[in-house]
Amino acid sequence: MIYTITLNPAIDRLVFLEKHLSKRKTNRAAKVAYDIGGKGTHGSYAMSRLGVPNLALGFAGEKNLEKFEQVLEQKNISHLFLKIPNEQTRESIVIIEPNNQGTTMLTEPGFLVPESIKNELLAYFEEQVTAEDVVLIAGSLPENFNLSDLEKLIIGLKGKNCFIACDLSGEALVRAVDLGVDFIKPNEFELTELLLSEEGSADYALNQLAQKITCVVASRGELGSICCYEGKRYQVKAPKVNEVNDTGAGDCFVGAFLAAFSKDWDIEAALKTGSACAASKVQYEDSSYFDPVEAEQLMSQVELTVCQNTI
Ligand code: ATP
Ligand code: MG
């Protein structure tokens, strides 16, 4: 089974404007849609669209739980979120201007997670996870879910010998790297965050990371990605497409990559699947939608070059 963990989810209200956003005016919406933000759920969405079973886990506030679960169900995401009494899941407003003119996000502070519910999550994994499972931890942490809580979660999972993937940033990503998780996908910004304590170039950092992490994918937007896995370096060129909105490209990549990789650990197939699904995604306004049929066609346009990793 693949589990995704979204510790700090949000109900995203996507407001598509008719025209350019202007201050001190009534800005009319052409349509409104809902999504669950917070990254892990986007990974689950990509896996579900590819027909790969998975379960989205995390925390959710009791006060607006119904609305939260309704959006997950509309998106066919199997889920089991632990309920936080008397709290609500943060709601975000995402204002999308027409013709790729930009996105503005207004977000609320998130909930606080009681210690008993943090422990419930640890206990769930202790009982359920096996060495055959894949667990993706993605997105930001709730305000009072600190690095030592993340550490406990990762150490618990490591004890189970499952494959641990992390799409985190900042200090949380640094901590995940220190603990030696199995997969990370830093984008260019996150890679420089990991570089701070290291000497040398991004290239050097990638090689250093490859010594600690089973599979590292450094994503580079429309340029594609570079992956280090089992002593080899894979240079991946992304298909050329008409980009409409690249928000969520990384989440889509990670979800699709893990869906393919967990089948038979074929790295080339996984890189092609992740790249093709993400290339499909960027052609749509929505930050998670992609078309699996279109992705299938884009697979042949993903260019892969393999060489030995020189350290
Ligand atoms: P996010 O955090 O918004 O989900 P990210 O910054 O983590 O995204 P990116 O590096 O932007 O991730 O993109 C991830 C992958 O998506 C890239 O490695 C590439 O394969 C694909 N991708 C992104 N932008 C494009 C594009 N314009 N054309 C084709 N593929 C793209
Ligand atoms: Mg990302």
Side-chain angles (χ1 to χ4, degrees):
M1 175 61 99
I2 310 180
Y3 297 97
T4 68
I5 310 179
T6 309
L7 297 164
N8 196 21
I11 300 173
D12 287 346
R13 185 180 162 90
L14 314 173
V15 182
F16 293 87
L17 292 187
E18 280 177 359
K19 294 186 189 148
H20 196 49
L21 176 70
S22 38
K23 276 189 191 165
R24 298 181 205 92
K25 265 194 166 182
T26 301
N27 292 275
R28 290 191 188 284
K31 66 171 179 181
V32 174
Y34 289 90
D35 194 4
I36 298 296
K39 294 201 165 277
T41 49
H42 284 170
S44 269
Y45 175 74
M47 293 171 197
S48 307
R49 298 252 329 142
L50 294 172
V52 174
N54 70 91
L55 187 61
L57 301 161
F59 305 121
E62 182 190 39
K63 283 185 176 166
N64 52 359
L65 191 67
E66 208 177 313
K67 197 169 165 186
F68 181 80
E69 292 189 329
Q70 212 174 20
V71 186
L72 287 171
E73 273 143 38
Q74 272 163 11
K75 300 204 146 234
N76 284 321
I77 297 174
S78 306
H79 57 89
L80 192 76
F81 276 77
L82 301 178
K83 199 165 57 180
I84 305 182
N86 303 316
E87 288 275 10
Q88 71 162 25
T89 300
R90 65 197 166 115
E91 297 190 14
S92 302
I93 297 175
V94 186
I95 300 165
I96 301 156
E97 297 175 56
N99 308 320
N100 201 17
Q101 288 174 77
T103 306
T104 310
M105 186 150 179
L106 311 173
T107 192
E108 296 176 347
F111 42 56
L112 298 178
V113 188
E115 291 302 312
S116 59
I117 298 183
K118 291 181 189 170
N119 290 332
E120 234 181 275
L121 187 71
L122 297 178
Y124 179 87
F125 285 118
E126 182 56 37
E127 255 172 52
Q128 300 295 327
V129 173
T130 69
E132 278 72 53
D133 294 332
V134 171
V135 181
L136 165 67
I137 309 173
S140 61
L141 308 182
E143 210 181 295
N144 72 333
F145 194 93
N146 40 42
L147 291 176
S148 63
D149 292 319
L150 178 69
E151 199 164 281
K152 265 191 226 160
L153 177 60
I154 293 177
I155 289 172
L157 291 171
K158 278 185 84 88
K160 293 282 170 175
N161 274 325
C162 60
F163 185 91
I164 310 170
C166 289
D167 191 3
L168 302 166
S169 47
E171 288 181 315
L173 176 59
V174 173
R175 192 60 64 97
V177 167
D178 287 344
L179 291 169
V181 297
D182 299 293
F183 172 85
I184 56 168
K185 189 219 64 65
N187 59 22
E188 283 178 313
F189 176 69
E190 289 150 356
L191 195 62
T192 34
E193 285 179 328
L194 285 170
L195 250 176
L196 285 181
S197 54
E198 309 272 359
E199 297 272 313
S201 64
D203 203 48
Y204 176 80
L206 199 55
N207 279 338
Q208 292 292 308
L209 287 170
Q211 313 224 348
K212 296 187 191 159
I213 312 289
T214 320
C215 182
V216 181
V217 178
S219 72
R220 306 160 70 220
E222 63 184 348
L223 294 178
S225 54
I226 301 170
C227 167
C228 294
Y229 179 64
E230 290 190 334
K232 292 199 178 117
R233 183 180 273 235
Y234 300 79
Q235 191 92 35
V236 189
K237 251 197 196 172
K240 289 222 176 331
V241 293
N242 175 31
E243 181 189 299
V244 173
N245 175 15
D246 71 343
T247 307
D251 303 343
C252 178
F253 181 99
V254 170
F257 173 93
L258 291 175
F261 199 41
S262 60
K263 274 187 199 152
D264 44 16
W265 311 105
D266 176 344
I267 188 70
E268 297 198 11
L271 288 168
K272 283 188 178 169
T273 306
S275 308
C277 292
S280 168
K281 198 246 79 73
V282 300
Q283 296 176 87
Y284 300 93
E285 264 177 344
D286 190 294
S287 38
S288 47
Y289 180 81
F290 69 99
D291 179 355
V293 177
E294 185 176 64
E296 186 72 40
Q297 289 156 1
L298 286 167
M299 289 261 278
S300 60
Q301 293 172 44
V302 181
E303 284 178 40
L304 261 182
T305 326
V306 192
C307 62
Q308 289 299 321
N309 211 2
T310 44
I311 295 165

